[in-house]
Amino acid sequence: MAYYTQTNSASTSLIERALAATANLLQAAAQRYATYRVYRETYNELAQLNDRDLNDLGLSRSMIRGLALEAAEKHAGK
């Protein structure tokens, strides 16, 4: 006895596109979170230094945010 099976390629394609879009969304979210973690770790480490230690490094407290952003951008550019 013969059987006939019809698959709808349009619905399969739609499902594949939805899964791919979800995967891309999750990957982008993971990358953003990793970049955020680099920013927070850099910021927190520099913020813990006292003014004298920062001055020894040639930094001021007002530069911490910018340096943390720069570190995060370099990480994101990997």
Side-chain angles (χ1 to χ4, degrees), residues 45-74:
E45 287 178 15
L46 291 173
Q48 289 177 355
L49 298 175
N50 60 33
D51 290 336
R52 184 175 181 166
D53 291 337
L54 287 170
N55 192 30
D56 287 345
L57 295 171
L59 305 174
S60 66
R61 195 153 297 279
S62 64
M63 298 170 70
I64 292 175
R65 183 174 183 268
L67 291 170
L69 285 171
E70 185 178 323
E73 288 172 359
K74 284 183 182 180

Side-chain angles (χ1 to χ4, degrees), residues 23-60:
N24 288 339
L25 179 67
L26 291 174
Q27 185 177 14
Q31 180 61 38
R32 283 192 308 270
Y33 182 71
T35 301
Y36 169 75
R37 290 300 310 152
V38 169
Y39 169 80
R40 288 307 309 167
E41 288 174 12
T42 304
Y43 184 90
N44 289 338
E45 287 178 15
L46 291 173
Q48 289 177 355
L49 298 175
N50 60 33
D51 290 336
R52 184 175 181 166
D53 291 337
L54 287 170
N55 192 30
D56 287 345
L57 295 171
L59 305 174
S60 66

